[in-house]
């Protein structure tokens, strides 16, 4: 990102667009000064299907954030996901030509650039290069080689690529909204900064984000992505099942899901206390939560079974020592969802939660993108203020968001 004191992020989701603005002080600290959200119909199954609708939503979300912050945004860091994202493993090697043989940040940047030189189809573009480990003169398992002495620096890296046209459509939408794209980041990398602990990452953990239209699965081992997959199924399908099963308008089905949904019939109440009015009926009637759960449970089982299908190709029970973390608004609010996921997957499953705003994940990716971009800046500083600034950023974020959630 650029060196402006203003940083902004943009999360383009299936049901909403979120923008967040942060300001970096002269001392290097960052304050969250504004955020905005707008509904959207421009994305389906992780892909942009209506550019004009997406542009309108971006403009609305950014204007809200600008009004709150009293700041003008010129560029944004954008989160991206999609079933067109793939991961390629590659290596890079450079020599350390200087007489003192001390490895510098520039050497790390050089070896990562070499790792980027990989044959990819002309319809794909590199989004990110993630180092798995560095190797100095044959000594492997090194996370940060800067300051070490050696004659040969190697890196094993994961190259994240995306479909060129999908990325171009994202860039086009942002540009038509009057903004520049300062960087594109995989959404799960941004969410990782907020939702996962270092211990979980070291042990191996799956971050499962069940959104409105898609379910994103990312397996982390350390700083590396071992698996990435996007399932074109999410919480909207549950809403649609309710709307069809009870003959309700979609908006009413969504409201009932948010208030009464239970993922397991065995945990639901049989008391008829949910009042509905089906399409074509002149009077209301009451149903029980158990009747509602009978509609919901099969779809939740389908979503979790598809998650299992993606994970089973790897020895995931051994790889995911820390289990799985369930995030997103598609399932997390439902009673019984965690229990069902844990039973069907056979590993520990916890709900994603932050100290900032609990289980409401509206701004998780937008906030994670800011933190991700800020950390990239901090990485280049290499001074004692780095840890202080990171701590300050999170503490200020917590205070700001507690006021509104």
């Amino acid at each position: 990102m650029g060196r402006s004191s203003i940083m902004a992020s943009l999360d383009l989701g299936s049901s909403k667009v979120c923008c967040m603005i942060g300001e970096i002080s002269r001392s290097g600290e960052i304050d969250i000064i504004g955020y905005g959200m707008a509904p959207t119909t421009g994305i389906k199954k992780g892909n942009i299907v209506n550019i004009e609708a997406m542009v309108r939503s971006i403009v609305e979300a950014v204007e809200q954030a600008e009004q709150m912050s009293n700041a003008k945004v010129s560029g944004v860091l954008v989160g991206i996901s999609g079933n067109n994202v793939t991961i390629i493993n590659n290596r890079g090697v450079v020599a350390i030509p200087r007489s003192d043989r001390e490895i510098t940040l520039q050497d790390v940047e050089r070896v990562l650039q070499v790792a980027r030189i990989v044959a990819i189809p002309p319809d794909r573009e590199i989004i990110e290069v993630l180092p798995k480990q560095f190797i100095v003169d044959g000594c492997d398992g090194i996370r940060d080689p800067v300051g070490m002495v050696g004659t040969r620096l190697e890196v094993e890296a994961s190259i994240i690529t995306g479909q060129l046209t999908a990325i171009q459509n994202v860039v086009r939408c942002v540009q038509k909204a009057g903004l520049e794209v300062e960087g594109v980041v995989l959404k799960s990398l941004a969410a990782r900064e907020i939702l996962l602990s270092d211990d979980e990452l070291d042990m191996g953990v799956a971050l499962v984000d069940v959104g409105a239209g898609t379910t994103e699965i990312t397996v982390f081992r350390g700083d590396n992505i071992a698996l990435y997959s996007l399932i074109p199924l999410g919480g909207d399908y549950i809403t649609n099942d309710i709307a069809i099963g009870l003959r309700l308008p979609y908006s009413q089905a969504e409201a009932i899901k948010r208030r009464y949904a239970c993922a397991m019939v065995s945990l639901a109440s049989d008391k008829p206390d949910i009042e509905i009015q089906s399409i074509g009926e002149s009077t209301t009637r009451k149903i029980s939560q158990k009747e509602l759960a009978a509609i919901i449970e099969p779809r939740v089982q389908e979503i979790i079974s598809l998650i299992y299908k993606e994970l089973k190709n790897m020895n995931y029970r051994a790889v995911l020592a820390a289990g799985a973390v369930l995030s997103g608004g598609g399932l997390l609010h439902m009673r019984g969802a965690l229990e069902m996921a844990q039973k069907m997957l056979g590993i520990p499953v916890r709900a994603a939660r932050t100290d900032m705003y609990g289980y409401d994940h509206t701004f998780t990716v937008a906030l994670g993108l800011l933190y991700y971009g800020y950390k990239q800046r901090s990485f280049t500083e290499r001074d004692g203020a780095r840890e202080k600034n990171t701590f300050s950023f999170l503490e200020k974020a917590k205070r700001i968001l507690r006021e509104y959630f």
Side-chain angles (χ1 to χ4, degrees), residues 116-384:
R116 291 176 67 97
I117 303 173
V118 59
I120 60 173
D123 64 341
R124 304 197 68 78
E125 181 174 320
I126 293 176
I127 298 173
E128 188 79 74
V129 178
L130 296 178
K132 295 182 182 179
Q133 65 168 343
F134 292 95
I135 305 167
V136 177
D137 291 348
C139 179
D140 60 8
I142 298 170
R143 286 193 172 183
D144 185 357
V146 175
M148 299 181 67
V149 175
T151 60
R152 175 186 172 96
L153 175 63
E154 301 176 60
V155 66
E156 292 182 359
S158 295
I159 315 297
I160 303 174
T161 72
Q163 189 176 39
L164 182 60
T165 53
I167 296 172
Q168 287 176 336
N169 282 331
V170 169
V171 173
R172 178 68 59 86
C173 288
V174 175
Q175 289 176 340
K176 286 175 72 72
L179 302 166
E180 292 185 8
V181 175
E182 296 185 340
V184 175
V185 179
L186 194 63
K187 285 186 181 184
S188 54
L189 284 176
R192 175 190 69 177
E193 302 291 339
I194 304 298
L195 299 178
L196 302 180
S197 69
D198 290 340
D199 288 339
E200 286 175 324
L201 291 170
D202 289 339
M203 293 172 66
V205 63
L207 180 59
V208 180
D209 180 18
V210 184
T214 60
T215 296
E216 186 179 34
I217 305 165
T218 313
V219 173
F220 292 100
R221 299 197 71 183
D223 292 330
N224 180 46
I225 293 179
L227 171 72
Y228 178 85
S229 181
L230 192 80
I231 300 169
L233 201 65
D236 282 353
Y237 287 79
I238 299 173
T239 305
N240 193 58
D241 290 344
I242 296 171
I244 293 173
L246 299 177
R247 293 184 293 115
L248 299 175
Y250 188 89
S251 58
Q252 187 179 346
E254 176 69 18
I256 287 175
K257 183 186 76 172
R258 290 286 173 184
R259 185 171 181 182
Y260 299 106
C262 181
M264 298 174 66
V265 173
S266 60
L267 298 178
S269 167
D270 56 7
K271 184 178 179 181
D273 56 358
I274 304 174
E275 188 172 24
I276 64 171
Q277 183 173 354
S278 298
I279 295 173
E281 294 183 359
S282 58
T283 59
T284 62
R285 59 190 175 97
K286 291 188 176 182
I287 64 169
S288 67
Q289 188 184 48
K290 193 176 289 290
E291 292 175 84
L292 182 64
I295 297 172
I296 293 171
E297 184 173 341
R299 183 67 77 176
V300 176
Q301 288 177 336
E302 181 186 10
I303 292 172
I304 298 174
S305 67
L306 290 172
I307 295 168
Y308 169 77
K309 183 179 178 181
E310 294 297 322
L311 293 175
K312 76 173 183 178
N313 293 326
M314 60 192 302
N315 187 17
Y316 76 94
R317 287 188 175 88
V319 171
L320 302 178
V325 176
L326 185 65
S327 70
L331 288 183
L332 197 55
H333 66 284
M334 291 187 192
R335 183 185 175 198
L338 288 176
E339 292 87 338
M340 184 182 291
Q342 186 159 313
K343 181 179 179 181
M344 293 181 65
L345 297 178
I347 55 176
V349 180
R350 74 166 177 87
R353 188 181 189 281
T354 73
D355 292 334
M356 299 170 195
Y357 45 95
Y359 298 103
D360 186 336
H361 293 159
T362 303
F363 290 95
T364 296
V365 172
L367 182 61
L369 285 165
L370 270 189
Y371 184 38
Y372 188 91
Y374 174 71
K375 198 166 77 168
Q376 294 301 104
R377 286 189 175 189
S378 297
F379 179 74
T380 64
E381 292 175 2
R382 296 296 189 183
D383 59 23

Side-chain angles (χ1 to χ4, degrees), residues 12-52:
L12 309 181
S14 298
S15 62
K16 64 185 183 302
V17 171
C18 297
C19 176
M20 186 166 280
I21 301 175
E23 182 177 20
I24 301 175
S25 66
R26 291 189 177 183
S27 63
E29 298 181 358
I30 185 168
D31 294 322
I32 295 176
I33 57 176
Y35 55 85
M37 180 187 72
T40 187
T41 57
I43 288 185
K44 298 294 183 185
K45 298 180 180 180
N47 297 310
I48 292 176
V49 295
N50 188 326
I51 286 183
E52 294 305 319

Side-chain angles (χ1 to χ4, degrees), residues 72-143:
K72 184 67 177 175
V73 172
S74 59
V76 290
L77 191 63
V78 183
I80 191 172
S81 64
N83 52 18
N84 48 60
V85 173
T86 59
I87 298 176
I88 304 170
N89 294 318
N90 199 30
R91 296 174 69 98
V93 183
V94 297
I96 309 300
R98 295 175 300 280
S99 58
D100 62 3
R101 306 299 187 193
E102 181 176 344
I103 297 170
T104 66
L105 186 60
Q106 287 69 36
D107 296 319
V108 172
E109 291 172 349
R110 280 197 303 128
V111 77
L112 289 175
Q113 286 299 321
V114 172
R116 291 176 67 97
I117 303 173
V118 59
I120 60 173
D123 64 341
R124 304 197 68 78
E125 181 174 320
I126 293 176
I127 298 173
E128 188 79 74
V129 178
L130 296 178
K132 295 182 182 179
Q133 65 168 343
F134 292 95
I135 305 167
V136 177
D137 291 348
C139 179
D140 60 8
I142 298 170
R143 286 193 172 183

